[in-house]
């Protein structure tokens, strides 16, 4: 599956009909249900929104809330690690541009 790359993964994410996250391989490829708010193949906004939703959930329900785990899995599946690292630094410094 590695030879198909990101285009196939984005297609699968958009066409997925699973209600919950489902892991298919030992490499932890995670598919999430298509979100009608993000109809295009560019998943940048989807990634950012899921990251913000996770941190809002944690702020409202606490670090150990099981309800927030799905948002964590969503943004970790969609977002590049470099972005997450940058956003985490920005949150710690109080310069994060999003509405937390």
């Amino acid at each position: 599956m590695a030879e198909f790359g990101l285009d196939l993964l984005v297609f699968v994410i958009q066409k997925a009909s699973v209600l919950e996250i489902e892991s298919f391989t030992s490499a932890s490829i995670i598919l999430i249900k298509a979100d009608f708010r993000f109809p295009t193949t560019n998943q940048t906004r989807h990634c950012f929104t899921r990251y913000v939703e996770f941190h809002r959930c944690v702020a409202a329900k606490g670090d150990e809330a099981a309800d927030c785990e799905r948002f964590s899995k969503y943004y970790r599946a969609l977002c590049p690690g470099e972005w997450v690292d940058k956003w985490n630094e920005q949150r710690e410094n109080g310069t994060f541009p999003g509405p937390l």
Side-chain angles (χ1 to χ4, degrees):
M1 183 159 166
E3 66 270 5
F4 293 109
L6 185 59
D7 292 335
L8 177 62
L9 183 57
V10 169
F11 174 78
V12 171
I13 288 171
Q14 288 180 335
K15 300 300 180 188
S17 62
V18 293
L19 296 176
E20 294 295 323
I21 295 173
E22 202 172 314
S23 180
F24 285 95
T25 68
S26 60
S28 298
I29 294 176
I30 298 174
L31 303 178
I32 60 174
K33 183 175 179 175
D35 192 327
F36 67 90
R37 298 175 293 177
F38 309 102
T40 64
T41 57
N42 185 344
Q43 295 295 310
T44 303
R45 187 169 177 192
H46 191 177
C47 154
F48 183 79
T49 301
R50 295 299 188 176
Y51 180 85
V52 169
E53 287 174 338
F54 169 72
H55 288 287
R56 283 183 175 174
C57 182
V58 168
K61 298 182 180 186
D63 290 334
E64 302 298 322
D67 295 341
C68 302
E69 184 62 27
R70 68 185 173 124
F71 294 120
S72 173
K73 289 180 181 177
Y74 291 162
Y75 89 77
R76 290 175 195 277
L78 291 167
C79 301
E82 297 85 18
W83 294 5
V84 173
D85 293 341
K86 180 180 177 183
W87 293 337
N88 287 338
E89 284 181 30
Q90 290 175 336
R91 279 188 319 101
E92 291 170 6
N93 296 332
T95 60
F96 184 72
L100 293 176

